[in-house]
Amino acid sequence: MKNSTFAAILMFLAAAVGGLVAAALYLRRREKELDEYEQLLFSEDFKDEDEYDEDEEAAEPQEEAEEVVEAPIADAPADKE
């Protein structure tokens, strides 16, 4: 086997191993991020959904009361010709 063929095979194997290691590190880091997100999502620091729905329903009538309904503008007198 030529030295150049051996070097090419060795470089290919090194690239394949490097790609696998990079993929494994990425997946490990991504899994940790997802675990942290899941902990935040299900932590007790946030309100329960039931409490959120009650607050949302209580806020709706206030929003409706704040809306201003404008009366239609009276038509201006038409010019007589």
Side-chain angles (χ1 to χ4, degrees), residues 70-76:
E70 295 182 16
I73 300 173
D75 293 330

Side-chain angles (χ1 to χ4, degrees), residues 60-78:
E60 288 178 8
Q62 293 174 353
E63 292 173 1
E64 292 175 4
E66 292 175 3
E67 292 180 15
V68 177
V69 178
E70 295 182 16
I73 300 173
D75 293 330

Side-chain angles (χ1 to χ4, degrees), residues 7-35:
I9 292 173
L10 188 63
M11 294 302 289
F12 176 75
L13 290 175
V17 169
L20 290 174
V21 169
L25 291 175
Y26 171 77
L27 291 175
R28 181 182 294 171
R29 183 184 57 143
R30 181 74 174 147
E31 188 174 333
K32 286 181 182 179
E33 289 176 357
L34 290 175
D35 287 341

Side-chain angles (χ1 to χ4, degrees), residues 18-63:
L20 290 174
V21 169
L25 291 175
Y26 171 77
L27 291 175
R28 181 182 294 171
R29 183 184 57 143
R30 181 74 174 147
E31 188 174 333
K32 286 181 182 179
E33 289 176 357
L34 290 175
D35 287 341
E36 290 175 7
Y37 176 72
E38 186 176 330
Q39 288 175 356
L40 286 175
L41 187 63
F42 295 112
S43 70
E44 296 181 8
D45 294 339
F46 296 105
K47 293 182 178 180
D48 291 335
E49 287 184 22
D50 296 335
E51 293 176 11
Y52 179 75
D53 291 341
E54 292 172 4
D55 292 341
E56 187 175 299
E57 291 173 3
E60 288 178 8
Q62 293 174 353
E63 292 173 1

